[in-house]
Amino acid sequence: MVGKVTPNTMMSASRLPAVLGHSKWSTANDELMSTIHAIDGQEPEEIFKEAFDWGNLLEGPILKEAAKRLNLKKLALKHPAHFAKDIPLACSLDGLANGVLEAKLTSFEAEDAPPLWRGPIQLQAQMMIMGAKWGAVCTLYKGLTMRVFLFAPHQATQDAITAAVIDFDRRLTVYKETGEIDSYHI
């Protein structure tokens, strides 16, 4: 993600792991409060700035190498925000080549499958929004090892995303209409 392009006032694909209970970094209530603050005109505080900067810097090379490995001929890297037609969900794309490509840079050791919080949930939402038949989480580990994880749309995950986004938006509507915060009870 080179610069944030999705609105902070609604749910986005990159924030879904927290709402679905799969984030190492934030909770559903953290995301709810962040969105409420954005609705009230408060911009979110930048965290992990250097890590994000390196991720942004290496996003293009990661995706170009993944496209090469997948023998993809047409890779597009610059994208505006995209919005789901039926639910209040936005996404930004790192790359598109018939399928959706999501770049990740991590200091973790290489793994055989990425954890849900590092791409798969985000990718399922991106595939939903774009109507893509496949997607890839392209991960560079410690700057040394690259893995490309291919995914097909997963209906159960996409149904869970839809339900979570509708519930999240309902909570935002409660806040907008009453000023009350309908927190998640975890």
Side-chain angles (χ1 to χ4, degrees):
M1 167 179 85
V2 177
K4 179 146 173 57
V5 297
T6 56
N8 292 323
T9 55
M10 66 184 298
M11 182 47 55
S12 66
S14 62
R15 297 168 58 208
L16 276 168
V19 174
L20 291 170
H22 293 286
S23 175
K24 289 185 64 158
W25 316 114
S26 68
T27 67
N29 282 322
D30 293 336
E31 296 303 330
L32 179 63
M33 291 310 301
S34 176
T35 307
I36 286 171
H37 291 154
I39 288 168
D40 290 342
Q42 300 171 31
E43 288 301 314
E45 185 180 321
E46 281 193 62
I47 56 171
F48 309 118
K49 178 149 177 36
E50 187 170 16
F52 285 138
D53 289 345
W54 280 110
N56 287 337
L57 182 66
L58 294 174
E59 185 175 283
I62 290 169
L63 294 180
K64 287 175 185 173
E65 177 60 23
K68 179 178 161 187
R69 291 180 184 194
L70 294 170
N71 199 29
L72 301 172
K73 300 300 180 205
K74 294 183 180 180
L75 173 64
L77 297 177
K78 303 242 185 230
H79 300 278
H82 295 275
F83 298 87
K85 293 177 184 161
D86 300 331
I87 58 174
L89 176 64
C91 75
S92 60
L93 301 179
D94 292 343
L96 190 63
N98 294 322
V100 175
L101 288 92
E102 180 62 29
K104 298 295 182 188
L105 174 67
T106 183
S107 62
F108 284 79
E109 294 291 336
E111 56 216 338
D112 293 330
L116 293 175
W117 53 267
R118 194 185 316 113
I121 291 172
Q122 179 181 0
L123 188 72
Q124 288 295 323
Q126 292 167 331
M127 288 190 291
M128 285 173 58
I129 291 170
M130 301 306 296
K133 295 185 183 211
W134 67 273
V137 175
C138 312
T139 307
L140 180 61
Y141 295 90
K142 295 190 169 196
L144 300 171
T145 304
M146 173 115 160
R147 298 268 166 87
V148 179
F149 303 100
L150 296 175
F151 292 87
H154 187 261
Q155 194 60 52
T157 301
Q158 292 185 355
D159 290 346
I161 288 168
T162 297
V165 168
I166 290 169
D167 180 61
F168 189 84
D169 190 62
R170 179 195 61 77
R171 293 168 193 273
L172 296 179
T173 299
V174 166
Y175 177 74
K176 290 174 190 173
E177 292 178 356
T178 68
E180 295 180 20
I181 299 170
D182 184 10
S183 296
Y184 290 87
H185 301 287
I186 302 169

